[in-house]
Amino acid sequence: MSPTDARRQKPEQLGLPLSARSEAPRDGGSGEASTLTNSKERSGSDRLMEEVVARGNVRAALARVRENRGSPGVDGMTVAELPQYLMEHWEEVREQLLAGTYQPKPVLRQEIPKRGGGVRELGIPCVLDRLIQQAILQVLQPRFDPSFSEHSYGFRPGRSAHDAVKAAQRYVQEGRKWVVDVDLEKFFDRVNHDVLMGRLARRIGDTRLLRLIRRYLNAGMMADGVVMERLEGTPQGGPLSPLLANLLLDEVDKELEKRGHTFVRYADDCNVYVRTRRAGERVMAALERMYAQLRLKVNRTKSKVALAQKCSLVSYSFWYAKGGAVMLRVAPKATHAFKQRVREITRRNGGWSLARVVAELRKYLPGWKEYFQLANTPYVFADHDKWIRHRLRALQLKQWRRGPKVYAEMRRLGLSHSAAAQAAVLNKRWWYRAARLVQVGLTTRYYDRMGVPRLAG
């Protein structure tokens, strides 16, 4: 079966041999597997691995991995090739998981640029390990999540960044105008394995699952063909990392709740809302001590106690309307990143046709607009629309290039002879011509017909 044929099949037709359809472990395999499967019946949290490898759970995990796609890991296997691999090897993998002998592969290091400069390091697991991590997540999350703090919003079912922003807006509106904005220094790279495993051991009784998670933490990272040992950190890029982060940081959440604080945490970003600067300074000092107990370090250069309008949360920030109402806007750093991305798409020396540029904008702009739908700044979005169309006009003129071509196109679009001639004479002054003359022909409606999304309205 080719990878294409496998991709077309339904999840129930994929990579699960008949022997894997039973949730109970089978006899046979390695000596360790026989010992485990012949031992007394496991129950409760001691049988979590049986739930991980259960047919329905693996089917659901496979569907999710295929939906998320993603790039190959160190073994080069693609998501499309995974179903065929499972058909041939799942029985062996399943027996290793039940026996506690499965050994994950190292993750592949990948760097992506950060908005504020620098790079963020991701660790991309191979697709088989992504499947197993997803299967583990589906078993553990329903057990862990109900006990997490109501003030935690990141990577949790039924909760979103928008929920976090609305809660923060409510706290500021209630008069908590000072924010303790905490940034943890390289959080995902600095998670202490022993501390994390200690917290997991309090909740998980299946030692096989604990050993497997530990192996994922210690699997190492491959860069330039060399595997580097990892003694700390839970690499971003695997399905399990966000749940492990929430589990570790929930301890600080519960302490803040016990002390009566109102706060919002989204992943490793935590904002505590207080009424005075003095109270904020006390909370900051307390948080540094709490995180130190988890062997985490607060980044003092990026953390601060400041007024709400000078802080941001998940790329939103606050402003005050007349009458004192607290409103939302796109944070300055997010606006800068937005403009940088649009400049990359619409650059005049990029060699892209206008049709391709429009297609890229149609991929990017609707998602950006949906994420920032809570922003109470329609006039700012309208200005963004004008700026984007200005850039598109300049790009179109650059592609027409010569005066006679510009004249002919302007006439075709309805400009008078004199206006079209004036546009054609201003050779290579693309930005000026786009602003002063060409918008008469290259109207907003013209770009609407091309399918360029609008941010305002």
Side-chain angles (χ1 to χ4, degrees):
M1 181 187 299
S2 69
T4 302
D5 294 333
R7 187 167 60 250
R8 290 173 180 166
Q9 289 187 294
K10 297 178 181 179
E12 61 266 24
Q13 296 172 305
L14 297 171
L16 294 175
L18 291 175
S19 57
R21 296 180 184 176
S22 168
E23 297 190 14
R26 293 182 54 186
D27 294 339
S30 68
E32 188 173 352
S34 300
T35 302
L36 281 168
T37 55
N38 289 331
S39 64
K40 64 180 182 180
E41 187 73 17
R42 293 179 178 271
S43 61
S45 63
D46 290 338
R47 283 184 57 84
L48 291 181
M49 190 60 79
E50 278 74 13
E51 295 185 37
V52 169
V53 301
R55 179 174 179 260
N57 189 54
V58 176
R59 281 173 50 190
L62 177 59
R64 188 59 183 268
V65 169
R66 296 175 72 188
E67 178 184 347
N68 291 341
R69 300 180 183 178
S71 56
V74 296
D75 60 357
M77 186 191 303
T78 66
V79 172
E81 294 168 334
L82 178 60
Q84 179 66 30
Y85 180 88
L86 291 176
M87 291 185 68
E88 298 172 0
H89 301 285
W90 173 246
E91 176 66 17
E92 177 186 354
V93 172
R94 178 178 177 276
E95 292 292 349
Q96 290 175 5
L97 290 169
L98 290 173
T101 60
Y102 179 80
Q103 183 62 52
K105 291 183 173 62
V107 297
L108 181 65
R109 187 174 71 178
Q110 190 175 85
E111 294 180 343
I112 60 173
K114 296 171 66 174
R115 284 179 179 169
V119 295
R120 175 175 285 109
E121 189 177 89
L122 300 182
I124 308 302
C126 67
V127 291
L128 177 60
D129 285 325
R130 291 212 292 272
L131 172 78
I132 295 171
Q133 285 194 34
Q134 180 64 36
I136 296 172
L137 176 68
Q138 291 166 182
V139 170
L140 295 185
Q141 191 157 50
R143 286 172 166 80
F144 292 179
D145 194 80
S147 68
F148 288 160
S149 169
E150 64 174 306
H151 298 282
S152 167
Y153 293 89
F155 308 107
R156 296 185 61 189
R159 289 174 165 246
S160 68
H162 287 171
D163 296 327
V165 170
K166 290 175 183 176
Q169 183 183 23
R170 185 171 66 253
Y171 297 147
V172 177
Q173 189 68 68
E174 290 171 352
R176 297 175 176 87
K177 298 181 179 181
W178 288 90
V179 182
V180 184
D181 187 354
V182 178
D183 181 272
L184 292 176
E185 192 171 287
K186 297 183 178 180
F187 168 72
F188 283 95
D189 296 330
R190 297 285 175 84
V191 170
N192 183 276
H193 292 176
D194 292 333
V195 173
L196 175 57
M197 292 307 303
R199 271 57 180 179
L200 278 169
R202 296 175 187 174
R203 294 172 177 252
I204 297 176
D206 194 325
T207 56
R208 298 167 299 173
L209 184 53
L210 288 171
R211 285 199 300 268
L212 179 59
I213 294 174
R214 184 82 189 214
R215 285 171 183 161
Y216 274 120
L217 294 174
N218 294 338
M221 180 175 288
M222 179 177 286
D224 300 323
V226 178
V227 177
M228 299 176 291
E229 185 180 11
R230 289 186 67 89
L231 301 177
E232 60 181 5
T234 171
Q236 297 182 73
L240 201 52
S241 290
L243 179 65
L244 298 180
N246 276 335
L247 174 66
L248 184 63
L249 295 175
D250 186 62
E251 189 167 311
V252 175
D253 295 346
K254 294 295 173 51
E255 184 60 31
L256 289 172
E257 285 181 346
K258 191 182 300 183
R259 300 184 183 196
H261 291 299
T262 54
F263 65 97
V264 171
R265 182 175 65 79
Y266 194 93
D268 57 324
D269 294 327
C270 183
N271 283 4
V272 185
Y273 299 86
V274 296
R275 297 185 184 275
T276 66
R277 183 181 187 91
R278 185 175 179 181
E281 298 288 358
R282 288 198 302 268
V283 172
M284 178 66 81
L287 281 170
E288 287 184 335
R289 292 192 297 270
M290 292 181 206
Y291 287 124
Q293 291 177 0
L294 299 177
R295 301 189 189 179
L296 298 171
K297 186 177 181 181
V298 172
N299 187 333
R300 294 192 176 186
T301 60
K302 294 184 178 180
S303 301
K304 60 183 178 291
V305 177
L307 289 169
Q309 60 267 38
K310 296 183 179 180
C311 297
S312 65
L313 178 69
V314 292
S315 297
Y316 277 90
S317 59
F318 304 104
W319 62 281
Y320 289 93
K322 289 182 179 180
V326 178
M327 312 298 279
L328 296 170
R329 63 174 181 169
V330 182
K333 283 186 178 181
T335 298
H336 176 75
F338 163 78
K339 290 198 167 186
Q340 283 293 99
R341 179 59 184 145
V342 172
R343 287 189 184 99
E344 290 172 5
I345 294 172
T346 60
R347 61 191 187 279
R348 293 190 288 278
N349 60 353
W352 287 1
S353 67
L354 187 61
R356 182 176 176 185
V357 168
V358 171
E360 290 296 319
L361 290 174
R362 290 176 68 179
K363 291 178 185 177
Y364 177 66
L365 294 180
W368 192 91
K369 178 181 178 179
E370 181 180 2
Y371 184 80
F372 289 107
Q373 62 182 274
L374 299 182
N376 310 112
T377 53
Y379 56 91
V380 174
F381 283 15
D383 286 344
H384 289 347
D385 283 335
K386 292 177 183 177
W387 175 73
I388 290 169
R389 279 149 186 78
H390 193 156
R391 291 193 62 83
L392 289 173
R393 292 182 184 111
L395 174 64
Q396 183 66 85
L397 287 171
K398 174 71 180 292
Q399 293 182 351
W400 285 340
R401 193 172 292 274
R402 295 182 180 277
K405 176 68 171 176
V406 174
Y407 174 84
E409 292 294 340
M410 291 296 97
R411 290 289 286 160
R412 185 178 63 81
L413 291 171
L415 266 69
S416 67
H417 164 72
S418 60
Q422 191 175 0
V425 166
L426 297 172
N427 188 35
K428 295 186 179 181
R429 297 179 65 184
W430 318 118
W431 191 256
Y432 174 83
R433 286 160 63 186
R436 297 302 180 93
L437 292 171
V438 184
Q439 59 185 327
V440 179
L442 299 177
T443 62
T444 298
R445 185 173 298 179
Y446 171 82
Y447 290 109
D448 287 344
R449 290 196 299 267
M450 290 188 69
V452 179
R454 291 196 195 192
L455 298 177

